[in-house]
């Protein structure tokens, strides 16, 4: 077989290939390479949404809260924990956006280290993480210590150790870097934080549903993550927060609403937090937003994260191989780690003309993402992306780049 034939045979050899047909739009020639910004919907989700309007909402009405909705954030949290996080039940809940939950989680961690004066965060992390770190530092009178690291290779335990000290309250870090997909060593970095007496707060937005996690085994303190990326929850679906049981008693978050109260319906004079993870909830949870992700969790339960990760690695290896063959001759560089053990589920390809290339790709129904500087980002959602789709997208990029630079 030629290299091209070998590549073309990959979908027929892929045991997960049949799952792609479960996603809306999979029959169209559109090439979707942005599943890490917004996952495709599952076909069964249309039925779930319709049935919800007719039944639990339309028929049960206010009784729905007693039937299921009061506990739904905890129930779905436990499902995410079991399917993806490597976390025992009772430590995860769903609600708010990632940004808001990150704020609540960061304030809670800082509150657990009242004698400490610094927050450690990564200088090139996703904007929300940097902005929230800055505002919490400001609000709580703490200093920010920025971690500097190579944007492709990402943050190492040694770099974290170099800026972490007896002054550090918390180390905040993405598990998978949003630009290059570097994959941090969660166990080692959490150990470094703990060695200094600090807490570790992880942002799992680009790993949940793509890279298997072991939050309990790594002794992570708190974590947050997004559900509209690899969990296919739909635009703006609510995020989740994990807090290890050992911290619940001391976990005080800043938005003390009635729904995190130990007994919401006493409507008493003072806020008394629920003893468990429910204390991270503030107001009425977004029930409608929790529907679609349950279909993806069903599918992840069936397939298992080990198989999902194997496909994810195969897809990113494939993308790098095709890029090396068809795009490298035009000056395109792979700006993601080449070692799959150090890489999450996306691949970034760099060239000064990429902004124009990505705009032209969108015109042709090839949808990757663009991130400065000059980065074409391929988000390869393992269950909804085919190998042929990746090849087709990159070959189209080659044609456009060749025209642009001719
Ligand atoms: C996608 C993403 C978010 C999203 O935050 P929202 O509040 O949902 O907009 C946050 N952090 C990281 C690292 C992300 O990748």
């Amino acid at each position: 077989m030629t290299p091209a034939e070998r590549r073309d045979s990959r979908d027929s050899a892929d045991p997960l290939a049949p799952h792609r047909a479960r996603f809306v739009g999979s029959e169209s020639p559109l090439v979707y390479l942005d599943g890490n910004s917004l996952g495709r919907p599952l076909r069964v989700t249309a039925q779930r949404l319709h049935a919800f309007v007719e039944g639990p909402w339309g028929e049960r009405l206010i009784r729905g809260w007693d039937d299921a909705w009061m506990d739904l954030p905890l129930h779905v949290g436990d499902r995410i924990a079991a399917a993806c996080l490597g976390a025992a039940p009772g430590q995860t809940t769903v609600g708010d956006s990632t940004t808001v939950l990150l704020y609540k989680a960061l304030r809670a961690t800082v509150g657990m280290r009242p004698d400490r004066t610094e927050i450690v965060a990564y200088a090139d992390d996703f904007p929300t993480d940097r902005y929230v770190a800055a505002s919490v530092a400001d609000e709580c009178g703490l200093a920010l210590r920025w971690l500097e690291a190579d944007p492709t290779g990402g943050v190492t335990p040694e770099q974290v150790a170099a800026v972490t000290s007896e002054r550090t309250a918390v180390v905040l870090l993405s598990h998978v870097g949003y630009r290059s997909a570097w994959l941090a060593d969660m166990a080692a970095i959490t150990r470094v934080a703990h060695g200094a007496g600090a807490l570790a707060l992880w942002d799992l937005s680009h790993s949940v549903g793509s890279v298997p996690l072991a939050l309990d085994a790594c002794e992570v303190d708190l974590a947050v993550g997004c559900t509209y990326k690899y969990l296919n929850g739909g635009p703006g679906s609510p995020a989740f927060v994990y807090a290890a049981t050992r911290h619940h008693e001391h976990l005080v978050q800043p938005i003390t609403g009635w729904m995190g109260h130990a007994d919401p319906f006493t409507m008493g004079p003072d806020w008394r937090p629920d003893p468990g993870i429910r204390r991270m909830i503030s107001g009425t949870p977004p029930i409608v937003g929790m529907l679609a992700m349950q279909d993806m969790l069903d599918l992840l339960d069936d397939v298992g994260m080990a198989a999902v990760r194997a496909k994810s690695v195969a897809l990113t290896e494939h993308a790098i191989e095709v890029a090396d063959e068809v795009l490298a001759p035009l000056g395109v560089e792979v700006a993601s780690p080449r070692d799959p053990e150090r890489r999450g589920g996306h691949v970034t390809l760099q060239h000064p003309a990429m902004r124009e290339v990505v705009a032209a790709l969108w015109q042709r129904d090839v949808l990757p993402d663009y991130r400065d500087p000059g980065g074409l980002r391929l988000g390869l959602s393992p269950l909804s992306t085919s190998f042929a789709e990746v090849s087709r997208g990159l070959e189209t990029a080659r044609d456009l780049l060749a025209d642009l630079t001719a």
Side-chain angles (χ1 to χ4, degrees):
M1 278 200 277
T2 66
E5 282 166 349
R6 200 167 57 240
R7 282 204 303 267
D8 291 346
S9 70
R10 281 182 187 149
D11 284 308
S12 42
D14 168 21
L16 303 189
H19 294 298
R20 189 166 179 274
R22 298 175 187 270
F23 293 87
V24 175
S26 53
E27 71 292 352
S28 106
L30 179 140
V31 172
Y32 193 50
L33 302 174
D34 208 359
N36 62 337
S37 285
L38 179 67
R40 285 182 186 271
L42 280 157
R43 293 184 198 280
V44 290
T45 296
Q47 290 143 41
R48 185 190 287 270
L49 297 179
H50 182 82
F52 181 82
V53 173
E54 297 288 327
W57 181 8
E59 216 176 278
R60 296 298 298 164
L61 293 162
I62 194 70
R63 296 170 291 185
W65 288 104
D66 291 334
D67 294 345
W69 302 336
M70 278 306 281
D71 289 330
L72 196 66
L74 308 182
H75 170 71
V76 176
D78 282 346
R79 291 206 57 198
I80 295 171
C84 307
L85 304 184
Q91 306 178 98
T92 310
T93 188
V94 177
D96 307 315
S97 66
T98 312
T99 301
V100 172
L101 280 184
L102 184 69
Y103 170 73
K104 289 159 69 168
L106 189 58
R107 277 287 306 268
T109 53
V110 162
M112 285 191 282
R113 288 290 180 276
D115 50 344
R116 303 250 169 157
T117 56
E118 291 180 0
I119 295 172
V120 168
Y122 174 45
D124 194 39
D125 215 328
F126 187 77
T128 248
D129 301 67
R130 289 182 282 115
Y131 302 159
V132 166
S135 73
V136 170
D138 197 36
E139 193 176 19
C140 299
L142 303 178
L144 253 179
R145 287 280 295 229
W146 291 115
L147 271 161
E148 307 280 347
D150 170 51
T152 299
V155 177
T156 65
E158 294 72 30
Q159 288 163 334
V160 177
V163 296
T164 306
S165 71
E166 73 290 343
R167 292 184 296 277
T168 312
V170 53
V171 176
L172 162 65
L173 191 60
S174 285
H175 182 223
V176 170
Y178 82 107
R179 283 190 210 279
S180 80
W182 53 257
L183 176 58
D185 185 339
M186 175 178 278
I189 290 174
T190 301
R191 257 194 321 272
V192 167
H194 290 173
L199 299 168
L201 168 55
W202 289 93
D203 188 328
L204 311 175
S205 292
H206 279 289
S207 38
V208 63
S210 163
V211 180
L213 292 153
L215 300 188
D216 287 349
C218 291
E219 298 185 13
V220 164
D221 298 292
L222 272 79
V224 298
C226 190
T227 63
Y228 50 80
K229 294 172 176 166
Y230 295 111
L231 293 184
N232 305 64
S237 62
F240 64 88
V241 60
Y242 160 95
T245 303
R246 63 183 179 280
H247 293 311
H248 288 181
E249 194 186 337
H250 308 289
L251 198 69
V252 181
Q253 56 99 346
I255 307 177
T256 50
W258 72 299
M259 278 281 179
H261 194 279
D263 185 2
F265 293 98
T266 56
M267 311 221 158
D270 298 313
W271 191 70
R272 189 161 46 82
D274 181 271
I277 190 68
R278 186 189 287 281
R279 63 175 55 199
M280 290 303 286
I281 298 177
S282 296
T284 302
I287 300 300
V288 176
M290 293 177 209
L291 298 175
M293 69 180 80
Q294 295 179 60
D295 291 320
M296 190 60 182
L297 290 167
D298 288 344
L299 184 53
L300 289 172
D301 278 342
D302 283 354
V303 175
M305 278 308 300
V308 167
R309 172 65 175 163
K311 168 95 185 262
S312 169
V313 168
L315 280 167
T316 53
E317 290 283 273
H318 171 77
I320 289 172
E321 186 185 318
V322 177
D324 281 341
E325 190 185 318
V326 308
L327 287 165
L330 298 171
V332 174
E333 285 176 20
V334 173
S336 293
R338 284 189 176 263
D339 175 2
E341 304 258 308
R342 297 263 51 90
R343 186 174 68 229
H346 59 275
V347 170
T348 297
L349 304 173
Q350 217 143 18
H351 187 282
M354 267 323 174
R355 183 188 288 280
E356 291 77 24
V357 171
V358 171
L361 284 169
W362 278 52
Q363 296 288 319
R364 299 193 181 196
D365 275 354
V366 175
L367 308 181
D369 210 335
Y370 176 77
R371 288 289 179 270
D372 268 335
L376 177 152
R377 198 177 67 168
L378 306 163
L380 307 172
S381 195
L383 296 174
S384 60
T385 309
S386 68
F387 293 91
E389 196 176 8
V390 176
S391 305
R392 214 159 57 240
L394 292 178
E395 281 156 10
T396 311
R398 174 206 46 208
D399 296 347
L400 293 168
L401 185 59
D403 284 352
L404 269 168
T405 54

